[in-house]
Structures are given as structure tokens and as C-alpha cells.
Amino acid sequence: MDRNTVIGLVLIFLIMIGFGYLTQPSKEEREAYQRKADSIARVQEEEHQKRLAEEQAKALLSDSARKQEAIAQFGLFSDAASGSNKFITLENDLMRVTLTAKGGRIYSVELKKYKTYSGEPLVLFTGDENTFGLQFWGDNVAVKTNDLFFTPQTTDSIITATTDSVSVTMRLAAGGNAYIDYIYTIKPGSYMLGFDIKFTGLEKNIGNRLGYIDLIWDSKLLRLEKGLENERNYTTIAYQFFTGDYEEFSSGSKEDSKELNNKIKWVDFKHQFFSSIIVANDHFVNADLKAVNIDDGKHVKQFSARLALPFQNKESESIGLKFFFGPNHYKTLKSYNSGFEKVVPLGRNIIRWINKYVVINVFDFLNRYISNYGLIILLLTIFIKIIISPLTYKSYLSSAKMRVLKPQVDEINAKYPKQEDALKKQQAVMALYKKVGVNPMGGCIPILIQFPILIAMFRFFPASFELRQQSFLWADDLSSYDSILHLPFSIPWYGDHVSLFTLLMAVSLFITSKMNTDQMGDTNAQMPGMKFMMTWMMPIMLLLWFNNYSAGLSYYYLLSNVITIGQTYLFRRFVDDKAILAKLHENAKKPVTKSKWQQKLEDMAKQQEQLRKKKGK
């Protein structure tokens, strides 16, 4: 830069310094400005403090209002209207029970030894889908403990029963020394969970005009098995009265409810293969029960129960209850000596007797030595067919006698061709059978005797816990349907898949039915509809019906039919029709002996004829 530029910049710098010095405020002006700034700061601080005071007042007012609202809603339990939710796990070697501070209730139950069909941990119910708690009047307020927060009387989050029973107490405070305790107890090797309810210091606060207090239990049962339709049919509410009588809801209805006014011992929210049972040490006074189907693909049904607990409202009172969470395995249930085994659907009367004393014991005996359940069913079928083989032979022999008499029956049919002679024709045929000593019902009676066994198997296999998730050949679960082909559509009455065991069973039934009708020849020509029904309709009906049913059952009937076919061919080889006909001809030469019943009928007919003649005179 040149000299003139440098001088100019210096002059500008000096002018700026001089201007700043000449225009700066005086001491008095600076003090006045500071006083004004301090005054503004004080005003802002006062306004800030005022706002804080207003907010605190509003908060206090809101807290007071909420407290008053809580008192109005929960009465003496208002302090428990809010709190922190804490989870505690009680477990042994068989199950894991999670408790929640909200409601002090069971939050979920997991059975350790089992999995769902999809391979997930088997949880009977979980989360807020399960409601459980007392409902009563306290200080003229309707109290529901499910909405209140209990305080766990332990600092542990996991409590395990390894060598001895362990307990945890969930306490619902009611102010002062008044409270309600839920005491849960679990012991090793047991599916039973102890549950005691203890009331302390509440005798003046809880209304007790009816002599009982209500326990509310609602639960959505999760889907656990392969076949939803079959699982839903076996998922129901079961209960046993104090007298020992057992009942359960109808499985076919979409919605059902009952009011029980008699004393009840226990109530079961029953899955197809698992149970959640609440048991009273004494009894429930009465109950309202309800079941509703759920079609969301995740759940099976929703169950609701209102159970009345005896309650005397004393200064210190306890109510003893228990829970059973476990499999519907007959001998496991029976080991608890509480009638739980009745929930296994084995049928009634003689059907249940056959399953209880024969089938289950044979099944368990074979299971000691054989782990493959397909082979066990095969051996069980062979055992049953051997036991009833004399009846099968007798039925075949009766049919053979009817068949060799066909020419004589044809002669009678030709003698009475007119429709109006049907009665005479039938009398003549019956006279022929009587003369040669053939009972036309001889082939039916052995079948009727076998029928209870067939029904017993029909009840046993779908309810057999042992078959659950047991695979054999192409079936991945013998307790549910097997499928070799999934259809892109659903056929009414049939389903959206093809069960090979059911298909083979229907074919084998057709063959056995065809052999039986051929064995009879045309001796049942007077009932052509029956022939069509047995040969064609029955296999088709069972094909439609069993397609969604237990693969183990279809497999059993398949084996039974195959063995029957083999027995029929064996009997044909050793039974000589000519020898049978000769024996019948010999019988025809003998005098016909009348039974006492036949003689009595003839005497009555003669007496009536004599009375008619007397009246005619």
C-alpha cells in the first residue's frame, strides 16, 4: 500500500476509537440501566415462581381428585389402585407359573415337558387374556382385586422348588393392619399349585349378606394342537359336584352357559389334552359358567366362571383352594385322587369300563417294551381281534347257514310272488329257519356284542394323550389327522386335505362289507336298501367323517378291517358248505322243540281264539 492509504486507515481507526469514547454512557446512565435490568429479572422470576406455584396447586388438586376418585372406586383399597407391576416365577421340574403384582394373580402357566404342535413352549394361558380375582362389596364399593396392585412379600423374582415345597405371598393392603393375602405353594414333581386366600382385619368392611364371596376367572385358551376343529370339539368346561357327579359342556355348541346352584368340588377349563382345574378344599357354593368359540386362528375358546366361595367374614379367615395344571393323561389325573380322570372322554357305562380296565392297561403294558405307537396299535388290534375271534367265527357260520338255505328260500319267494303275500312269505321263511335250527339273528348278535369294543376304540384314540405328537409312517401326529395332499379349497363335510389312513380305511371297509353281502348271497334281498347302505354308504360316510379325525383311529379301523378280511378267507377254507347243509337237513328231521316263551305265546293265542269264539256265539 502507498502512504496515503496507510494514513487513511489510521485516521479511520482513530475516528472509531474517538467516537466510541465520546458516545459511551456515563456512570449514572450505566447504573440506571443495571437497575432496570435487575427489575425486569425480578419480575420474570416472580412470574416463573407464580407459574410453578399454580402448577403445583393444580398437581395437588389433581392428586387429591385422583385420590378421591380412587377412594370412590376402590374404597379402603384405594392405595392399591396404582403401583408398579412386578413378576415372580414359581417353578418346579414340571411347570413354570408366573405371578403378576397387578391382581396378584397367575399371569401364565408353562408346562416344561411339552411343546405345541408348532414347536413353541406349551403355555396354557398368558397375559391379560386371563382374568382372575375376587369380587365383593367393601365399604359400599364394588371391589375387583384383579384391578388392584398386590405387594409381593419377597425380593426374589424366581423361586424354585427342588427338594421341598416353596411359597410366595402376594399382599393387597387395605390400610392399617387390614389386608388380603394370596399364598401360592408349589412342590417338586407335582402339577398341583396350592392357593390359599387369607383375610385379615376386614370383618367390618366386607359385605356378607349371602354368606359367600365371588371369585371371577376368565381365560382365553390358546390353540395348542394341529387340528383346530378336533381340538375345539374336545375343549370344554368340565366340573364335578360335591356329591361326585361329573358333567361337562356340550362340545358341539358355539356358545353355552350354565347356572349351577349345587355345591361344586372343582371346575376345569379343559383343552383337548391339558387341563386347568381349580379345586376347592371344601366346596364352591354355586357357579355361573360360560364358553364361547373364538375364530381368530390363535385361540380355541374363551371360558368364564363365577365361583361362589363360602365366606363367614371373621376377623381372620382363610379359604383353601388348589390349581391343577397338567396333561389329560388318565393315570396321571387319577393319581391325585380327586376324580380328575373323569375329564378323559372314555365313554359311559360298558364303553368306559372296556377302555378303563382293558384298553388302557394293554396299551400301557405294550408301551413298556415298544416305543413306536404305530406298532403298539397294531399289537393292540391283533390282541382285540384274537379275543373276539370266536364271535367273528360264529357270525360267519351263521351267515354260511343262511347262504346254503338260499335255494329253499328262493322256492318260498316263488310260491308267494304277490306283495300282499309278504306276511305269509316271511312266516314260511321263519318256519324254515326254525325247522333246520337256524337263528336269522345269529349273525347279528356277535356283531352287536363286538359293537361296544368298536365304540370304545372310537372314544379312546382321539382322547389318548399318549398318541399326541407321535408320528408313524406319513402321519406326523396320530392324535390328529394325517395328510398326504393339501387342497387349495375346502370340500364341505370333507375338508381341505386328503387323509391316506382314512382313505385306506374306507376302501378296506368297502371290501369287508362286499364280502359280507356276498357271503349272505341274496338271502337279504328283501332289504336291498340295507345292502346298498352297508356296502357303499357306510364307507363314503366314514371317509367324510374321519378325514379330520384322529389318524390313530383310522389306522386302527384299517388294521381291524384287514384282519377281518384275512379271517374271512381263513374261515372259508375250513368251513364246508356241503357239511353245513347236511347238518341242517339232519336238524330238519328232528322234532322241533319249543321254548317256554314260544309255548306261552301259543297258549295265549289259543285262549284269545277261544274267547273270540265264545263272544261270537
Side-chain angles (χ1 to χ4, degrees):
M1 293 186 294
D2 58 14
R3 185 179 61 181
N4 292 333
T5 301
V6 173
I7 293 172
L9 290 175
V10 172
L11 289 174
I12 291 172
F13 180 71
L14 293 174
I15 291 171
M16 292 177 64
I17 293 175
F19 178 79
Y21 176 78
L22 294 173
T23 58
Q24 66 178 351
S26 62
K27 181 179 179 181
E28 291 78 7
E29 289 176 338
R30 289 196 299 271
E31 292 177 351
Y33 179 79
Q34 185 63 41
R35 287 194 299 269
K36 183 178 180 180
D38 293 342
S39 177
I40 293 173
R42 284 195 301 271
V43 171
Q44 291 177 341
E45 180 64 23
E46 290 174 359
E47 290 179 352
H48 177 67
Q49 293 296 330
K50 183 178 180 180
R51 285 196 300 270
L52 287 177
E54 290 175 352
E55 291 175 358
Q56 290 176 356
K58 289 180 180 180
L60 291 173
L61 182 61
S62 179
D63 289 342
S64 177
R66 283 196 295 268
K67 187 172 182 179
Q68 291 299 321
E69 182 181 354
I71 292 173
Q73 184 175 357
F74 302 106
L76 68 163
F77 298 98
S78 58
D79 290 342
S82 61
S84 59
N85 200 5
K86 182 179 180 181
F87 295 95
I88 297 176
T89 299
L90 277 174
E91 63 178 307
N92 59 12
D93 52 324
L94 299 178
M95 60 182 179
R96 181 178 293 110
V97 181
T98 302
L99 309 176
T100 174
K102 186 175 183 181
R105 60 183 174 86
I106 299 173
Y107 185 81
S108 66
V109 176
E110 177 188 345
L111 301 182
K112 294 182 176 181
K113 291 188 175 182
Y114 306 104
K115 300 289 184 181
T116 66
Y117 176 75
S118 60
E120 300 294 326
L122 196 144
V123 179
L124 298 180
F125 53 81
T126 183
D128 296 330
E129 296 174 348
N130 177 52
T131 300
F132 184 87
L134 299 175
Q135 182 172 291
F136 55 86
W137 283 93
D139 289 345
N140 297 319
V141 174
V143 177
K144 297 180 180 179
T145 61
N146 190 75
D147 300 327
L148 301 173
F149 286 85
F150 286 61
T151 303
Q153 303 300 293
T154 181
T155 58
D156 298 328
S157 58
I158 300 177
I159 302 175
T160 304
T162 53
T163 58
D164 201 359
S165 61
V166 294
S167 299
V168 63
T169 299
M170 308 291 283
R171 177 164 295 179
L172 178 62
N177 294 322
Y179 53 85
I180 298 175
D181 281 344
Y182 287 176
I183 305 171
Y184 297 92
T185 303
I186 191 171
K187 61 181 180 180
S190 177
Y191 289 107
M192 197 76 79
L193 178 72
F195 177 57
D196 295 297
I197 306 174
K198 184 177 180 181
F199 299 85
T200 302
L202 295 168
E203 67 278 3
K204 296 180 180 179
N205 303 100
I206 299 179
N208 186 37
R209 292 179 298 175
L210 300 176
Y212 62 79
I213 190 170
D214 286 337
L215 178 65
I216 307 298
W217 186 18
D218 297 338
S219 184
K220 290 183 178 180
L221 273 65
L222 295 166
R223 181 179 176 182
L224 305 176
E225 310 302 333
K226 176 182 179 180
L228 177 59
E229 181 181 350
N230 203 33
E231 181 180 10
R232 179 170 287 152
N233 286 336
Y234 284 93
T235 299
T236 186
I237 297 180
Y239 48 91
Q240 179 173 291
F241 291 102
F242 189 71
T243 57
D245 295 331
Y246 171 83
E247 291 182 2
E248 63 180 41
F249 279 18
S250 172
S251 59
S253 59
K254 293 185 177 180
E255 181 174 344
D256 200 357
S257 61
K258 288 186 179 181
E259 294 183 7
L260 307 177
N261 295 316
N262 297 326
K263 293 180 180 179
I264 304 157
K265 185 62 178 178
W266 51 259
V267 174
D268 181 10
F269 286 2
K270 188 183 78 167
H271 273 94
Q272 180 181 4
F273 291 117
F274 299 92
S275 281
S276 301
I277 307 176
I278 184 169
V279 190
N281 288 357
D282 189 5
H283 66 274
F284 299 110
V285 179
N286 53 61
D288 294 333
L289 307 174
K290 185 176 181 180
V292 180
N293 284 357
I294 303 179
D295 296 318
D296 60 0
K298 180 182 177 182
H299 301 87
V300 182
K301 290 186 178 183
Q302 180 172 0
F303 292 151
S304 302
R306 181 203 60 81
L307 306 170
L309 303 172
F311 185 67
Q312 301 301 321
N313 204 5
K314 297 180 292 187
E315 180 178 356
S316 180
E317 183 168 357
S318 295
I319 299 174
L321 303 169
K322 293 186 290 287
F323 284 102
F324 172 88
F325 300 114
N328 292 337
H329 180 263
Y330 183 84
K331 291 191 175 180
T332 299
L333 294 169
K334 188 175 177 60
S335 66
Y336 289 90
N337 298 318
S338 298
F340 296 161
E341 68 276 7
K342 296 175 183 177
V343 306
V344 181
L346 299 178
R348 297 176 178 273
N349 303 323
I350 189 173
I351 306 299
R352 189 173 186 85
W353 185 89
I354 292 172
N355 278 322
K356 181 178 178 179
Y357 296 106
V358 180
V359 178
I360 290 179
N361 289 325
V362 173
F363 208 76
D364 288 346
F365 173 78
L366 294 175
N367 193 27
R368 295 177 188 174
Y369 307 99
I370 304 173
S371 59
N372 188 304
Y373 281 85
L375 297 179
I376 291 176
I377 294 175
L378 172 61
L379 294 176
L380 176 65
T381 309
I382 293 174
F383 172 77
I384 293 175
K385 296 299 287 187
I386 290 174
I387 295 297
I388 65 176
S389 58
L391 297 175
T392 306
Y393 177 75
K394 187 174 182 180
S395 178
Y396 177 87
L397 194 61
S398 178
S399 299
K401 292 178 181 178
M402 300 276 287
R403 185 181 66 254
V404 299
L405 290 175
K406 179 182 177 298
Q408 294 169 269
V409 173
D410 289 342
E411 292 177 3
I412 295 173
N413 291 334
K415 185 178 180 180
Y416 300 100
K418 297 181 180 180
Q419 184 67 28
E420 55 269 21
D421 294 334
L423 180 60
K424 293 181 180 180
K425 179 172 63 176
Q426 184 178 6
Q427 289 175 341
V429 172
M430 295 304 295
L432 171 64
Y433 288 156
K434 184 177 181 180
K435 182 180 179 180
V436 298
V438 172
N439 183 359
M441 298 297 294
C444 299
I445 293 176
I447 294 176
L448 292 177
I449 294 175
Q450 298 176 48
F451 194 68
I453 298 177
L454 297 177
I455 299 300
M457 297 300 100
F458 177 81
R459 301 290 293 185
F460 172 76
F461 281 102
S464 175
F465 183 84
E466 291 84 353
L467 295 183
R468 181 180 183 268
Q469 296 182 2
Q470 295 295 327
S471 61
F472 179 68
L473 298 179
W474 58 84
D476 57 358
D477 188 346
L478 287 173
S479 70
S480 185
Y481 63 85
D482 63 293
S483 176
I484 59 168
L485 177 64
H486 286 277
L487 305 176
F489 50 85
S490 180
I491 301 174
W493 304 100
Y494 185 72
D496 59 357
H497 63 273
V498 177
S499 170
L500 183 55
F501 273 132
T502 303
L503 186 60
L504 294 174
M505 180 271 296
V507 172
S508 66
L509 179 59
F510 170 79
I511 294 173
T512 55
S513 300
K514 188 73 168 55
M515 291 176 65
N516 288 335
T517 54
D518 292 344
Q519 167 76 10
M520 293 293 294
D522 293 330
T523 58
N524 59 350
Q526 64 271 23
M527 295 185 294
M530 181 61 68
K531 181 178 179 180
F532 174 78
M533 179 72 179
M534 296 304 298
T535 305
W536 295 97
M537 287 301 297
M538 283 299 294
I540 293 174
M541 290 172 60
L542 292 183
L543 176 65
L544 298 175
W545 187 11
F546 279 32
N547 192 62
N548 293 297
Y549 225 59
S550 165
L553 180 64
S554 296
Y555 173 55
Y556 166 78
Y557 282 154
L558 168 62
L559 292 174
S560 180
N561 290 333
V562 170
I563 295 174
T564 299
I565 293 171
Q567 287 178 325
T568 302
Y569 279 112
L570 184 64
F571 295 155
R572 284 183 179 179
R573 184 173 182 179
F574 290 98
V575 174
D576 187 354
D577 287 0
K578 293 181 179 179
I580 292 176
L581 184 60
K583 179 66 176 176
L584 294 179
H585 286 163
E586 291 180 7
N587 293 339
K589 298 176 182 179
K590 298 177 182 179
V592 178
T593 57
K594 299 179 181 180
S595 65
K596 293 181 179 180
W597 176 249
Q598 290 175 324
Q599 186 64 48
K600 188 175 181 179
L601 289 176
E602 291 182 3
D603 292 341
M604 290 175 61
K606 291 179 180 179
Q607 291 176 3
Q608 291 178 353
E609 182 65 21
Q610 292 175 357
L611 290 174
R612 187 181 63 80
K613 290 180 179 180
K614 289 181 180 180
K615 290 181 180 180
K617 293 180 179 180

